[in-house]
Amino acid sequence: MAHTTTHHITEWNNYHFNGPYPTKCLFNIDTDRNIVSLIDRFNDSASGIQALIKDSLANNERFRAYGSAWSLSNVAHQSDRMLFNASLNIRLEVKDSQLHPAKSYLSENLFLFQCGNTIKEISEFLQKKGKSLKTCGASNGQTIAGAISTGVHGSSIDVGSVQDCVVGLQLIIGPGANDLIYIERESRPALADEFARRIKSRVIRSDALFNAALVSLGAFGVIHGVVLEAEDIYLLKRYVKKISKADALQIAATMDFTNARFKLPDEVLRDGTVNRPFHYKLYINPYNASEDFVTEIIYKKPYRTNYPNPVPFVQNAIFKDIPTWVSAFAAKHKRIIPKILDALRSEAFPKVDEVIEGTLGEIFWDTSQSSAAFGCGFGIDIADSPKALDLFIDLMNDKGPIPGILSMRFVKASEATLGFTRFPTTCILEVDGVPWKGNQNMISLDDFLTDVIKTFRDNGIGFTLHWGKNAPWSFPNLVDLMYGNADDQWKDMRSILLSKEMADLFSNDFLNTVRLADYRVNIAPNFVALRDAIAASVV
């Protein structure tokens, strides 16, 4: 049986020290390595999690699984019982005989990963198979379940977010024999029913349910298995250039590199064709409006083995060497913040004119920081990005200054119902830095971000917020403001899948705050047939 240890605790914190939060009990689970068969070991782990769920129900306590604790928001936290699942890292290749008859996938590109695999572990595993993830976040410490649950976006212009590479999910939705389910899209089935039976799951094929469960915020049960589609391994060639604000924002608002004023000579072919980048990111000092933007442009290239090791050049994270005292110092001497940030640009920004090559897992390497950190990400339609940036910078100067540096990344829309990269091409406007508390000299982080929300709303700029980052999540009707009616469909799907008892067990303070914990007894009429089909399905 899977090995579980129990720790009675009083508080829990995330990786970036945004807590602590009160917590009663922490479980640590690991697979039973005496079980030789990986599929049997995988199934045994699911049984172990179900036993914990059963005990939580018996004790009338809520339950939530987490992996790397990467989220800066409290989305991963549960005040009753928490399950640390980062040791559940089984990886299985999919065989051609396991594919669905109507599949559109190649078996060589499909892999089943247990929930605790980190993005780094997955990248290293895939590289040995001559494969690669299609995209990843800016760093690689998240577990796969956590990454997709909060919509980790990465910065692949034409690919989408991490969850958009998922073709199947195994969820644990209760303690019973019928409470293991395997979900995939009806329009794009991947694996045969027999595969689901091997992992003791009943099969549900529904685009609406699958898209809702992709970014589930932990509310659809425990994500135990994730079937990912990979691709052949490739290299990324990263250029760092200084570009004028006007030229950088011309590209940002259109993603039209062919007709852009700025072009990289090495990426223009002899016939004048302009290569389209894989990734485009702007680094912005908000306290120097006349400064050119440091711009990171990355192109996809065929894989080869004889390239220099890029890792020493990418170990340059903003949080790496910024001690906590910057925050305390800034709160007392806010006029000096722009000078501090100007001096820190060499740590926060990549070196201009540097060109490196590496795999996806090497270019987007480990994030390390020795102190607390904050980060907030707004998703905006690219057409609104220049205006949104100007408004954001004005607020940073008028209400601050604040100890953070801006960046902009660009990602294809996600199919996930509550994926925050929901615009056709989403600009992620991010501010990252060291946390601070407000006082008579300086606005608080929460109050500043509230002002940003109000300013975007009042100026007609549609936006979303990264679920796993800092934000004033209690802002009135925030989810409706961001998603319109999409959250209603998400709630319907959750209420179709879970009993009311289990929906409550998998809820937490974050879901209550953003008003996503509501259970729907009366669902939309067009989903009644799906509800009945799910209720009738068996393993």
Side-chain angles (χ1 to χ4, degrees):
M1 188 72 178
H3 303 293
T4 303
T5 55
T6 303
H7 307 276
H8 296 285
I9 59 177
T10 57
E11 62 184 28
W12 172 89
N13 214 333
N14 61 24
Y15 179 81
H16 299 287
F17 303 103
N18 296 110
Y21 306 101
T23 303
K24 296 178 184 177
C25 185
L26 177 65
F27 300 111
N28 191 338
I29 189 168
D30 196 359
T31 60
D32 185 348
R33 300 179 194 279
N34 292 319
I35 300 175
V36 177
S37 165
L38 288 180
I39 200 74
D40 290 342
R41 195 186 304 173
F42 181 90
N43 291 335
D44 177 71
S45 299
S47 297
I49 294 172
Q50 286 191 292
L52 295 174
I53 291 173
K54 183 178 181 179
D55 188 66
S56 297
L57 280 172
N59 286 277
N60 196 31
E61 291 193 318
R62 288 177 167 178
F63 181 87
R64 178 156 286 240
Y66 79 97
S68 299
W70 207 261
S71 291
L72 289 89
S73 70
N74 65 331
V75 64
H77 172 249
Q78 175 54 263
S79 57
D80 288 338
R81 298 181 174 201
M82 299 185 67
L83 173 66
F84 179 59
N85 61 17
S87 296
L88 302 183
N89 56 3
I90 290 171
R91 304 143 204 164
L92 292 167
E93 299 178 61
V94 172
K95 300 175 182 178
D96 200 58
S97 61
Q98 296 170 328
L99 293 179
H100 190 277
K103 89 287 187 183
S104 58
Y105 304 97
L106 297 174
S107 61
E108 66 190 52
N109 289 335
L110 297 184
F111 301 86
L112 172 65
F113 292 101
Q114 202 173 19
C115 54
N117 278 283
T118 65
I119 298 298
K120 182 176 182 177
E121 288 173 331
I122 291 172
S123 290
E124 291 175 344
F125 171 81
L126 290 177
Q127 184 165 350
K128 294 175 183 177
K129 306 292 181 182
K131 299 294 179 179
S132 172
L133 287 169
K134 296 183 177 184
T135 188
C136 68
S139 54
N140 58 16
Q142 310 98 326
T143 59
I144 186 59
I148 64 175
S149 293
T150 54
V152 168
H153 52 82
S155 50
S156 303
I157 297 169
D158 298 320
V159 173
S161 303
V162 175
Q163 72 269 8
D164 297 303
C165 305
V166 176
V167 302
L169 289 171
Q170 188 203 40
L171 298 177
I172 303 174
I173 62 170
N178 216 34
D179 289 333
L180 297 178
I181 63 169
Y182 173 74
I183 310 176
E184 57 184 28
R185 292 185 180 94
E186 183 179 22
S187 62
R188 278 175 276 165
L191 301 182
D193 291 2
E194 177 57 31
F195 181 90
R197 283 192 285 270
R198 287 195 68 202
I199 56 175
K200 302 186 181 301
S201 300
R202 54 186 168 125
V203 182
I204 302 171
R205 291 192 176 90
S206 163
D207 286 34
L209 181 60
F210 182 82
N211 289 335
L214 275 179
V215 177
S216 66
L217 310 176
F220 280 57
V222 177
I223 297 174
H224 182 239
V226 180
V227 180
L228 284 175
E229 183 185 26
E231 63 178 282
D232 290 342
I233 193 168
Y234 53 87
L235 291 181
L236 296 176
K237 187 172 185 178
R238 189 188 81 167
Y239 300 86
V240 180
K241 297 291 182 182
K242 274 197 171 184
I243 306 178
S244 71
K245 177 180 178 180
D247 288 354
L249 293 182
Q250 178 198 33
I251 296 173
T254 63
M255 289 291 102
D256 181 358
F257 294 88
T258 299
N259 297 303
R261 289 186 293 268
F262 174 83
K263 294 180 177 66
L264 282 169
D266 288 350
E267 299 299 335
V268 179
L269 305 183
R270 290 182 179 180
D271 64 0
T273 302
V274 178
N275 288 335
R276 185 168 176 80
F278 174 87
H279 160 112
Y280 180 71
K281 180 176 181 178
L282 306 176
Y283 294 82
I284 302 158
N285 180 352
Y287 304 115
N288 188 345
S290 63
E291 187 174 83
D292 291 345
F293 289 177
V294 174
T295 305
E296 181 181 70
I297 313 174
I298 299 177
Y299 293 83
K300 202 170 181 179
K301 302 293 182 182
Y303 183 74
R304 67 181 198 281
T305 56
N306 60 333
Y307 63 94
N309 180 14
V311 172
F313 299 96
V314 297
Q315 292 175 323
N316 242 351
I318 184 172
F319 307 121
K320 183 180 61 176
D321 295 315
I322 303 178
T324 306
W325 63 261
V326 172
S327 175
F329 185 81
K332 296 179 181 178
H333 308 283
K334 72 173 188 175
R335 293 181 181 178
I336 305 177
I337 291 175
K339 294 182 179 179
I340 294 174
L341 296 183
D342 188 65
L344 288 171
R345 281 183 304 168
S346 62
E347 290 293 331
F349 294 0
K351 292 181 180 179
V352 175
D353 294 327
E354 185 177 77
V355 179
I356 59 173
E357 282 186 288
T359 63
L360 180 79
E362 291 168 339
I363 295 297
F364 299 103
W365 189 245
D366 299 353
T367 290
S368 61
Q369 98 281 345
S370 57
S371 59
F374 88 86
C376 181
F378 285 85
I380 301 158
D381 191 293
I382 58 170
D384 292 328
S385 61
K387 181 180 179 182
L389 177 63
D390 285 342
L391 290 170
F392 205 104
I393 288 175
D394 287 345
L395 284 170
M396 289 186 75
N397 283 273
D398 294 343
K399 300 287 186 177
I402 66 172
I405 286 178
L406 293 176
S407 64
M408 299 172 84
R409 288 188 277 170
F410 304 87
V411 184
K412 179 183 174 182
S414 175
E415 294 185 65
T417 308
L418 291 187
F420 97 103
T421 48
R422 69 189 309 256
F423 302 99
T425 300
T426 299
C427 166
I428 297 100
L429 176 56
E430 299 170 296
V431 56
D432 295 287
V434 288
W436 77 95
K437 294 181 179 180
N439 57 29
Q440 66 271 20
N441 297 319
M442 190 175 185
I443 191 171
S444 70
L445 172 62
D446 201 63
D447 286 345
F448 172 75
L449 294 176
T450 298
D451 284 342
V452 176
I453 290 174
K454 291 178 178 178
T455 300
F456 284 175
R457 179 197 62 192
D458 295 346
N459 283 272
I461 295 176
F463 69 91
T464 54
L465 284 159
H466 193 311
W467 295 109
K469 292 197 173 184
N470 301 112
W473 292 109
S474 60
F475 188 91
N477 300 312
L478 179 61
V479 175
D480 287 339
L481 179 62
M482 295 191 295
Y483 290 93
N485 295 325
D487 60 307
D488 291 324
Q489 180 170 323
W490 187 90
K491 291 176 185 177
D492 279 346
M493 291 300 105
R494 181 174 185 249
S495 302
I496 284 172
L497 183 67
L498 303 178
S499 67
K500 189 176 187 307
E501 181 182 42
M502 296 312 302
D504 182 69
L505 181 119
F506 293 123
S507 294
N508 69 347
D509 289 343
F510 181 85
L511 292 174
N512 290 334
T513 298
V514 297
R515 299 173 61 184
L516 286 174
D518 306 346
Y519 190 81
R520 298 270 177 96
V521 175
N522 298 313
I523 61 170
N526 54 313
F527 295 132
V528 171
L530 174 62
R531 179 195 63 192
D532 294 344
I534 291 172
S537 66
V538 293
V539 178

